[in-house]
């Protein structure tokens, strides 16, 4: 069973609580919005602590070091494909224009024999909780609900 760990940044604005989500890169998500946004996260091996993986993956996916601060455990969710995702929330500010996303390679177009490189996350943005629930991977909406409960 695959496991991923990630960090959900949040901050408070005059409009309320906002979270930083990343739009998944690559051709499968290029024209999608709903269900194509995610907590910055990545897979890890069983011998790596999930917290260490979450911090490492944040840096790999955004090209910036994971912020320090109080980590709020948001628990786990199981996504549709069976992957278990563990997340923590940290209050921090980040300018989406400063990211330098990591990349991955895949054969594209399918069965073409051509490898192309795509960003792990092609953009990041701040969302209010209601809008975030509309665009995030369905199972991960539970993280937004848990953060809202913690911040109430």
């Amino acid at each position: 069973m695959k496991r991923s760990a990630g960090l959900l940044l949040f901050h408070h604005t005059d409009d309320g609580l906002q979270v930083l989500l990343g739009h998944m890169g690559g051709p499968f998500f290029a024209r999608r919005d709903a269900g194509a946004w995610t907590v910055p996260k990545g897979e890890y091996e069983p011998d790596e602590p999930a917290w260490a993986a979450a911090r490492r993956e944040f840096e790999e996916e955004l090209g910036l070091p994971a912020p320090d601060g109080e980590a709020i455990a948001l628990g786990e969710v199981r996504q549709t494909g069976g992957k278990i995702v563990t997340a923590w929330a940290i209050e921090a500010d980040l300018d989406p224009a400063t990211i330098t996303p990591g990349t991955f390679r895949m054969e594209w177009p399918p069965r073409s024999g051509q490898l192309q490189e795509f960003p792990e996350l092609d953009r990041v943005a701040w969302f209010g909780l209601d809008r975030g629930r509309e665009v995030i991977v369905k199972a991960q909406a539970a993280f937004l609900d848990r953060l809202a409960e913690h911040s109430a």
Side-chain angles (χ1 to χ4, degrees), residues 7-29:
L7 296 180
L8 177 65
L9 297 193
F10 71 96
H11 64 200
H12 297 275
T13 70
D14 291 342
D15 296 325
L17 189 64
Q18 291 190 331
V19 293
L20 185 77
L21 302 176
H23 185 270
M24 292 181 274
F28 298 120
F29 299 101

Side-chain angles (χ1 to χ4, degrees), residues 40-65:
K41 62 171 181 42
E43 292 183 11
Y44 65 99
E45 296 299 323
D47 62 339
E48 182 180 16
W51 171 245
R55 294 184 62 78
R56 174 182 52 77
E57 286 292 336
F58 184 93
E59 186 162 358
E60 286 179 13
E61 298 229 337
L62 301 182
L64 299 168

Side-chain angles (χ1 to χ4, degrees), residues 22-23 26 40 59 80 99 104 107 110 125-126 141 143 145 150:
H23 185 270
E59 186 162 358
T80 305
I99 72 156
F104 68 97
E107 183 180 11
W126 289 100
F143 294 141
D145 296 339
H150 182 274

Side-chain angles (χ1 to χ4, degrees), residues 86-140:
T86 305
W88 289 266
I90 296 179
E91 187 168 8
D93 282 317
L94 183 147
D95 179 353
T98 62
I99 72 156
T100 306
T103 59
F104 68 97
R105 294 173 58 89
M106 67 179 281
E107 183 180 11
W108 191 261
R111 297 177 295 286
S112 67
Q114 299 176 4
L115 285 179
Q116 291 194 42
E117 195 166 284
F118 298 97
E120 295 273 355
L121 299 173
D122 57 22
R123 61 191 183 276
V124 298
W126 289 100
F127 290 91
L129 293 181
D130 289 341
R131 179 70 179 132
R133 284 184 194 96
E134 294 173 4
V135 299
I136 198 167
V137 171
K138 189 174 182 176
Q140 293 181 28

